CSV table of all heavy atoms in Angstrom, one decimal:
chain,number,residue,atom,x,y,z
A,1,MET,N,15.7,-112.8,64.5
A,1,MET,CA,17.0,-113.5,64.6
A,1,MET,C,16.9,-114.8,63.8
A,1,MET,O,17.8,-115.0,63.0
A,1,MET,CB,17.3,-113.8,66.1
A,1,MET,CG,18.6,-114.5,66.2
A,1,MET,SD,20.0,-113.3,66.1
A,1,MET,CE,21.3,-114.2,66.7
A,2,ASP,N,15.9,-115.6,63.9
A,2,ASP,CA,15.8,-116.8,63.2
A,2,ASP,C,15.6,-116.5,61.7
A,2,ASP,O,16.1,-117.3,60.9
A,2,ASP,CB,14.6,-117.6,63.7
A,2,ASP,CG,14.9,-118.3,65.0
A,2,ASP,OD1,16.0,-118.5,65.3
A,2,ASP,OD2,13.9,-118.5,65.8
A,3,ALA,N,14.9,-115.4,61.4
A,3,ALA,CA,14.6,-115.1,59.9
A,3,ALA,C,16.0,-114.8,59.3
A,3,ALA,O,16.2,-115.2,58.1
A,3,ALA,CB,13.7,-113.9,59.8
A,4,GLN,N,16.9,-114.1,60.0
A,4,GLN,CA,18.2,-113.8,59.4
A,4,GLN,C,19.0,-115.0,59.2
A,4,GLN,O,19.7,-115.2,58.2
A,4,GLN,CB,18.9,-112.8,60.3
A,4,GLN,CG,18.4,-111.4,60.4
A,4,GLN,CD,19.1,-110.5,61.3
A,4,GLN,OE1,19.8,-111.0,62.2
A,4,GLN,NE2,19.0,-109.2,61.2
A,5,LYS,N,18.9,-116.0,60.1
A,5,LYS,CA,19.6,-117.2,60.0
A,5,LYS,C,19.1,-118.0,58.8
A,5,LYS,O,19.9,-118.6,58.0
A,5,LYS,CB,19.5,-118.0,61.3
A,5,LYS,CG,20.4,-119.2,61.4
A,5,LYS,CD,20.2,-119.9,62.8
A,5,LYS,CE,21.2,-121.1,62.8
A,5,LYS,NZ,21.1,-121.7,64.1
A,6,VAL,N,17.8,-118.1,58.6
A,6,VAL,CA,17.2,-118.8,57.5
A,6,VAL,C,17.6,-118.1,56.2
A,6,VAL,O,17.9,-118.8,55.2
A,6,VAL,CB,15.7,-118.8,57.7
A,6,VAL,CG1,15.0,-119.4,56.4
A,6,VAL,CG2,15.3,-119.7,58.8
A,7,GLU,N,17.6,-116.8,56.1
A,7,GLU,CA,17.9,-116.1,54.9
A,7,GLU,C,19.4,-116.4,54.6
A,7,GLU,O,19.8,-116.5,53.4
A,7,GLU,CB,17.7,-114.6,55.0
A,7,GLU,CG,16.2,-114.2,55.0
A,7,GLU,CD,16.0,-112.8,55.1
A,7,GLU,OE1,16.9,-112.0,54.9
A,7,GLU,OE2,14.8,-112.4,55.5
A,8,ALA,N,20.3,-116.4,55.6
A,8,ALA,CA,21.7,-116.7,55.3
A,8,ALA,C,21.9,-118.1,54.8
A,8,ALA,O,22.7,-118.3,53.9
A,8,ALA,CB,22.5,-116.5,56.6
A,9,GLU,N,21.1,-119.0,55.3
A,9,GLU,CA,21.2,-120.4,54.9
A,9,GLU,C,20.7,-120.5,53.5
A,9,GLU,O,21.3,-121.3,52.6
A,9,GLU,CB,20.4,-121.3,55.8
A,9,GLU,CG,20.5,-122.8,55.6
A,9,GLU,CD,21.9,-123.3,55.9
A,9,GLU,OE1,22.6,-122.7,56.8
A,9,GLU,OE2,22.3,-124.3,55.3
A,10,ILE,N,19.6,-119.8,53.1
A,10,ILE,CA,19.1,-119.8,51.7
A,10,ILE,C,20.1,-119.3,50.8
A,10,ILE,O,20.4,-119.8,49.7
A,10,ILE,CB,17.8,-119.1,51.7
A,10,ILE,CG1,16.7,-119.9,52.4
A,10,ILE,CG2,17.4,-118.8,50.2
A,10,ILE,CD1,15.4,-119.1,52.6
A,11,ALA,N,20.8,-118.2,51.2
A,11,ALA,CA,21.8,-117.6,50.3
A,11,ALA,C,23.0,-118.5,50.1
A,11,ALA,O,23.5,-118.7,49.0
A,11,ALA,CB,22.3,-116.3,50.9
A,12,LYS,N,23.4,-119.3,51.2
A,12,LYS,CA,24.5,-120.2,51.0
A,12,LYS,C,24.1,-121.4,50.1
A,12,LYS,O,24.9,-121.8,49.2
A,12,LYS,CB,24.8,-120.8,52.4
A,12,LYS,CG,25.9,-121.8,52.4
A,12,LYS,CD,26.1,-122.4,53.8
A,12,LYS,CE,27.1,-123.5,53.8
A,12,LYS,NZ,27.2,-124.2,55.1
A,13,LEU,N,22.8,-121.9,50.2
A,13,LEU,CA,22.4,-122.9,49.3
A,13,LEU,C,22.3,-122.5,47.9
A,13,LEU,O,22.6,-123.2,47.0
A,13,LEU,CB,21.0,-123.5,49.8
A,13,LEU,CG,21.1,-124.3,51.1
A,13,LEU,CD1,19.6,-124.6,51.6
A,13,LEU,CD2,21.9,-125.5,51.0
A,14,MET,N,21.9,-121.2,47.7
A,14,MET,CA,21.8,-120.7,46.3
A,14,MET,C,23.2,-120.6,45.7
A,14,MET,O,23.4,-120.9,44.5
A,14,MET,CB,21.1,-119.4,46.3
A,14,MET,CG,19.6,-119.5,46.6
A,14,MET,SD,18.7,-117.9,46.6
A,14,MET,CE,18.8,-117.4,44.9
A,15,ALA,N,24.2,-120.2,46.5
A,15,ALA,CA,25.5,-120.1,46.0
A,15,ALA,C,26.1,-121.4,45.6
A,15,ALA,O,26.8,-121.6,44.6
A,15,ALA,CB,26.4,-119.4,47.0
A,16,GLU,N,25.8,-122.4,46.5
A,16,GLU,CA,26.3,-123.8,46.2
A,16,GLU,C,25.6,-124.4,44.9
A,16,GLU,O,26.3,-125.0,44.2
A,16,GLU,CB,26.0,-124.7,47.4
A,16,GLU,CG,26.9,-124.4,48.6
A,16,GLU,CD,26.5,-125.2,49.8
A,16,GLU,OE1,25.6,-126.1,49.7
A,16,GLU,OE2,27.1,-125.0,50.9
A,17,THR,N,24.3,-124.0,44.8
A,17,THR,CA,23.6,-124.5,43.6
A,17,THR,C,24.2,-123.9,42.3
A,17,THR,O,24.4,-124.6,41.3
A,17,THR,CB,22.1,-124.1,43.7
A,17,THR,OG1,21.6,-124.7,44.8
A,17,THR,CG2,21.4,-124.6,42.5
A,18,THR,N,24.5,-122.6,42.4
A,18,THR,CA,25.2,-121.9,41.2
A,18,THR,C,26.5,-122.6,40.9
A,18,THR,O,26.8,-122.8,39.7
A,18,THR,CB,25.3,-120.4,41.5
A,18,THR,OG1,24.1,-119.9,41.8
A,18,THR,CG2,26.0,-119.7,40.4
A,19,LYS,N,27.3,-122.9,41.9
A,19,LYS,CA,28.6,-123.5,41.7
A,19,LYS,C,28.4,-124.9,41.1
A,19,LYS,O,29.1,-125.2,40.1
A,19,LYS,CB,29.3,-123.6,43.0
A,19,LYS,CG,30.7,-124.3,42.9
A,19,LYS,CD,31.3,-124.4,44.3
A,19,LYS,CE,32.6,-125.2,44.1
A,19,LYS,NZ,33.2,-125.7,45.3
A,20,ILE,N,27.5,-125.7,41.6
A,20,ILE,CA,27.3,-127.0,41.0
A,20,ILE,C,26.8,-127.0,39.6
A,20,ILE,O,27.3,-127.7,38.7
A,20,ILE,CB,26.3,-127.8,41.9
A,20,ILE,CG1,26.9,-128.2,43.2
A,20,ILE,CG2,25.8,-129.1,41.2
A,20,ILE,CD1,26.0,-128.7,44.3
A,21,ASN,N,25.9,-126.0,39.3
A,21,ASN,CA,25.5,-125.9,37.9
A,21,ASN,C,26.6,-125.5,37.0
A,21,ASN,O,26.7,-126.0,35.8
A,21,ASN,CB,24.3,-124.8,37.8
A,21,ASN,CG,23.0,-125.4,38.4
A,21,ASN,OD1,22.8,-126.6,38.5
A,21,ASN,ND2,22.2,-124.5,38.8
A,22,ALA,N,27.5,-124.6,37.4
A,22,ALA,CA,28.6,-124.2,36.6
A,22,ALA,C,29.5,-125.4,36.3
A,22,ALA,O,30.1,-125.6,35.2
A,22,ALA,CB,29.4,-123.1,37.2
A,23,GLU,N,29.8,-126.2,37.4
A,23,GLU,CA,30.7,-127.4,37.2
A,23,GLU,C,30.1,-128.4,36.3
A,23,GLU,O,30.8,-129.0,35.5
A,23,GLU,CB,30.9,-128.0,38.6
A,23,GLU,CG,31.8,-127.1,39.5
A,23,GLU,CD,32.0,-127.6,40.9
A,23,GLU,OE1,31.3,-128.6,41.3
A,23,GLU,OE2,32.8,-127.0,41.7
A,24,SER,N,28.8,-128.6,36.4
A,24,SER,CA,28.1,-129.6,35.6
A,24,SER,C,28.1,-129.2,34.1
A,24,SER,O,28.0,-130.1,33.3
A,24,SER,CB,26.7,-129.9,36.1
A,24,SER,OG,25.8,-128.8,35.9
A,25,ARG,N,28.1,-128.0,33.9
A,25,ARG,CA,28.2,-127.5,32.5
A,25,ARG,C,29.5,-127.9,31.8
A,25,ARG,O,29.6,-128.2,30.6
A,25,ARG,CB,28.0,-126.0,32.5
A,25,ARG,CG,27.7,-125.4,31.1
A,25,ARG,CD,27.4,-123.9,31.2
A,25,ARG,NE,26.4,-123.6,32.1
A,25,ARG,CZ,26.5,-122.7,33.1
A,25,ARG,NH1,27.6,-122.0,33.3
A,25,ARG,NH2,25.5,-122.5,33.9
A,26,TRP,N,30.6,-127.8,32.6
A,26,TRP,CA,31.9,-128.1,32.0
A,26,TRP,C,32.3,-129.6,32.1
A,26,TRP,O,33.3,-130.0,31.5
A,26,TRP,CB,33.0,-127.3,32.8
A,26,TRP,CG,33.0,-125.9,32.4
A,26,TRP,CD1,32.4,-124.9,33.1
A,26,TRP,CD2,33.4,-125.3,31.2
A,26,TRP,NE1,32.6,-123.7,32.4
A,26,TRP,CE2,33.2,-123.9,31.3
A,26,TRP,CE3,34.1,-125.8,30.1
A,26,TRP,CZ2,33.5,-123.1,30.2
A,26,TRP,CZ3,34.4,-124.9,29.0
A,26,TRP,CH2,34.1,-123.6,29.1
A,27,TYR,N,31.6,-130.4,32.9
A,27,TYR,CA,31.9,-131.8,33.1
A,27,TYR,C,32.1,-132.6,31.8
A,27,TYR,O,33.1,-133.3,31.6
A,27,TYR,CB,30.9,-132.5,34.0
A,27,TYR,CG,31.2,-133.9,34.4
A,27,TYR,CD1,32.2,-134.1,35.3
A,27,TYR,CD2,30.5,-134.9,33.8
A,27,TYR,CE1,32.5,-135.4,35.7
A,27,TYR,CE2,30.8,-136.2,34.1
A,27,TYR,CZ,31.8,-136.5,35.1
A,27,TYR,OH,32.1,-137.8,35.4
A,28,PRO,N,31.1,-132.5,30.8
A,28,PRO,CA,31.3,-133.3,29.6
A,28,PRO,C,32.6,-132.9,28.8
A,28,PRO,O,33.2,-133.8,28.2
A,28,PRO,CB,30.1,-133.0,28.7
A,28,PRO,CG,29.1,-132.5,29.7
A,28,PRO,CD,29.8,-131.8,30.8
A,29,PHE,N,33.0,-131.7,28.8
A,29,PHE,CA,34.2,-131.3,28.1
A,29,PHE,C,35.4,-131.8,28.8
A,29,PHE,O,36.3,-132.3,28.1
A,29,PHE,CB,34.3,-129.7,28.1
A,29,PHE,CG,33.2,-129.1,27.3
A,29,PHE,CD1,32.2,-128.4,27.9
A,29,PHE,CD2,33.1,-129.2,25.9
A,29,PHE,CE1,31.2,-127.8,27.2
A,29,PHE,CE2,32.1,-128.6,25.2
A,29,PHE,CZ,31.2,-127.9,25.8
A,30,MET,N,35.4,-131.9,30.1
A,30,MET,CA,36.5,-132.4,30.9
A,30,MET,C,36.7,-133.9,30.7
A,30,MET,O,37.8,-134.5,30.5
A,30,MET,CB,36.4,-132.1,32.4
A,30,MET,CG,36.4,-130.6,32.7
A,30,MET,SD,37.8,-129.7,32.0
A,30,MET,CE,39.1,-130.3,33.0
A,31,VAL,N,35.5,-134.6,30.6
A,31,VAL,CA,35.6,-136.1,30.4
A,31,VAL,C,36.1,-136.3,28.9
A,31,VAL,O,36.9,-137.2,28.7
A,31,VAL,CB,34.2,-136.7,30.6
A,31,VAL,CG1,34.1,-138.1,30.1
A,31,VAL,CG2,33.8,-136.6,32.0
A,32,GLY,N,35.6,-135.5,28.0
A,32,GLY,CA,36.1,-135.7,26.6
A,32,GLY,C,37.6,-135.4,26.5
A,32,GLY,O,38.3,-136.1,25.8
A,33,ALA,N,38.1,-134.4,27.2
A,33,ALA,CA,39.5,-134.1,27.1
A,33,ALA,C,40.3,-135.2,27.8
A,33,ALA,O,41.4,-135.6,27.3
A,33,ALA,CB,39.8,-132.7,27.8
A,34,ALA,N,39.8,-135.8,28.9
A,34,ALA,CA,40.5,-136.8,29.5
A,34,ALA,C,40.6,-138.1,28.6
A,34,ALA,O,41.6,-138.8,28.5
A,34,ALA,CB,39.9,-137.2,30.8
A,35,PHE,N,39.5,-138.4,28.0
A,35,PHE,CA,39.4,-139.5,27.1
A,35,PHE,C,40.4,-139.3,25.9
A,35,PHE,O,41.1,-140.2,25.5
A,35,PHE,CB,38.0,-139.7,26.5
A,35,PHE,CG,37.9,-140.9,25.6
A,35,PHE,CD1,37.9,-142.2,26.0
A,35,PHE,CD2,37.7,-140.6,24.2
A,35,PHE,CE1,37.8,-143.2,25.2
A,35,PHE,CE2,37.6,-141.7,23.3
A,35,PHE,CZ,37.7,-143.0,23.8
A,36,PHE,N,40.4,-138.1,25.3
A,36,PHE,CA,41.3,-137.8,24.2
A,36,PHE,C,42.7,-137.9,24.6
A,36,PHE,O,43.5,-138.5,23.9
A,36,PHE,CB,41.0,-136.4,23.7
A,36,PHE,CG,41.8,-136.0,22.5
A,36,PHE,CD1,41.6,-136.5,21.3
A,36,PHE,CD2,42.9,-135.1,22.7
A,36,PHE,CE1,42.4,-136.2,20.2
A,36,PHE,CE2,43.7,-134.8,21.6
A,36,PHE,CZ,43.5,-135.3,20.4
A,37,GLY,N,43.0,-137.4,25.8
A,37,GLY,CA,44.4,-137.6,26.3
A,37,GLY,C,44.8,-139.0,26.5
A,37,GLY,O,45.9,-139.4,26.2
A,38,ALA,N,43.9,-139.8,27.1
A,38,ALA,CA,44.2,-141.2,27.3
A,38,ALA,C,44.4,-141.9,26.0
A,38,ALA,O,45.3,-142.8,25.9
A,38,ALA,CB,43.1,-141.8,28.2
A,39,ALA,N,43.5,-141.7,25.0
A,39,ALA,CA,43.7,-142.3,23.7
A,39,ALA,C,45.0,-141.9,23.0
A,39,ALA,O,45.6,-142.8,22.4
A,39,ALA,CB,42.5,-141.9,22.9
A,40,THR,N,45.3,-140.7,23.2
A,40,THR,CA,46.6,-140.2,22.6
A,40,THR,C,47.8,-140.9,23.2
A,40,THR,O,48.7,-141.4,22.5
A,40,THR,CB,46.7,-138.7,22.7
A,40,THR,OG1,45.6,-138.1,22.1
A,40,THR,CG2,48.0,-138.2,22.1
A,41,ALA,N,47.8,-141.0,24.5
A,41,ALA,CA,48.9,-141.7,25.3
A,41,ALA,C,48.9,-143.2,24.9
A,41,ALA,O,50.0,-143.7,24.7
A,41,ALA,CB,48.7,-141.5,26.8
A,42,PHE,N,47.8,-143.8,24.8
A,42,PHE,CA,47.7,-145.2,24.4
A,42,PHE,C,48.3,-145.4,23.0
A,42,PHE,O,49.1,-146.3,22.8
A,42,PHE,CB,46.3,-145.7,24.5
A,42,PHE,CG,46.1,-147.1,24.1
A,42,PHE,CD1,46.4,-148.1,25.1
A,42,PHE,CD2,45.7,-147.5,22.9
A,42,PHE,CE1,46.3,-149.5,24.8
A,42,PHE,CE2,45.5,-148.9,22.6
A,42,PHE,CZ,45.8,-149.8,23.5
A,43,ALA,N,47.9,-144.5,22.1
A,43,ALA,CA,48.4,-144.6,20.7
A,43,ALA,C,49.9,-144.4,20.6
A,43,ALA,O,50.6,-145.1,19.9
A,43,ALA,CB,47.6,-143.6,19.8
A,44,LYS,N,50.4,-143.4,21.4
A,44,LYS,CA,51.8,-143.1,21.4
A,44,LYS,C,52.6,-144.3,22.0
A,44,LYS,O,53.7,-144.6,21.5
A,44,LYS,CB,52.1,-141.9,22.2
A,44,LYS,CG,53.4,-141.3,22.0
A,44,LYS,CD,53.6,-140.0,22.7
A,44,LYS,CE,54.9,-139.4,22.3
A,44,LYS,NZ,55.1,-138.0,22.8
A,45,LEU,N,52.1,-145.0,23.0
A,45,LEU,CA,52.8,-146.1,23.6
A,45,LEU,C,52.8,-147.4,22.7
A,45,LEU,O,53.8,-148.0,22.6
A,45,LEU,CB,52.1,-146.5,24.9
A,45,LEU,CG,52.4,-145.6,26.1
A,45,LEU,CD1,51.6,-146.0,27.3
A,45,LEU,CD2,53.9,-145.7,26.4
A,46,PHE,N,51.7,-147.6,22.0
A,46,PHE,CA,51.6,-148.9,21.3
A,46,PHE,C,51.6,-148.8,19.8
A,46,PHE,O,51.6,-149.8,19.1
A,46,PHE,CB,50.3,-149.6,21.7
A,46,PHE,CG,50.3,-150.0,23.2
A,46,PHE,CD1,49.6,-149.3,24.1
A,46,PHE,CD2,51.1,-151.1,23.6
A,46,PHE,CE1,49.6,-149.7,25.4
A,46,PHE,CE2,51.2,-151.5,24.9
A,46,PHE,CZ,50.4,-150.8,25.8
A,47,LEU,N,51.7,-147.6,19.2
A,47,LEU,CA,51.8,-147.5,17.8
A,47,LEU,C,53.1,-146.9,17.3
A,47,LEU,O,53.9,-146.5,18.0
A,47,LEU,CB,50.6,-146.6,17.2
A,47,LEU,CG,49.3,-147.2,17.5
A,47,LEU,CD1,48.2,-146.2,16.9
A,47,LEU,CD2,49.1,-148.5,16.7
């Protein structure tokens, strides 16, 4: 019984790790897109 519980917890942690790794791969692109959008909005307002 305990072994099954531990295996389920390990599977859950592995799934969370996979999700975090996928998100961290896209993070720099999202930051760049946000910066580009903010710079475009700033330029449109003041130029």
Side-chain angles (χ1 to χ4, degrees):
M1 183 76 166
D2 288 332
Q4 290 177 341
K5 189 174 181 181
V6 170
E7 286 180 19
E9 188 68 27
I10 290 170
K12 179 182 174 188
L13 290 172
M14 289 177 68
E16 289 176 1
T17 301
T18 302
K19 181 183 175 196
I20 290 171
N21 287 338
E23 289 173 354
S24 68
R25 192 175 309 127
W26 287 103
Y27 185 76
F29 296 109
M30 298 307 290
V31 170
F35 179 75
F36 181 74
T40 302
F42 181 80
K44 191 170 187 177
L45 283 173
F46 294 105
L47 295 178

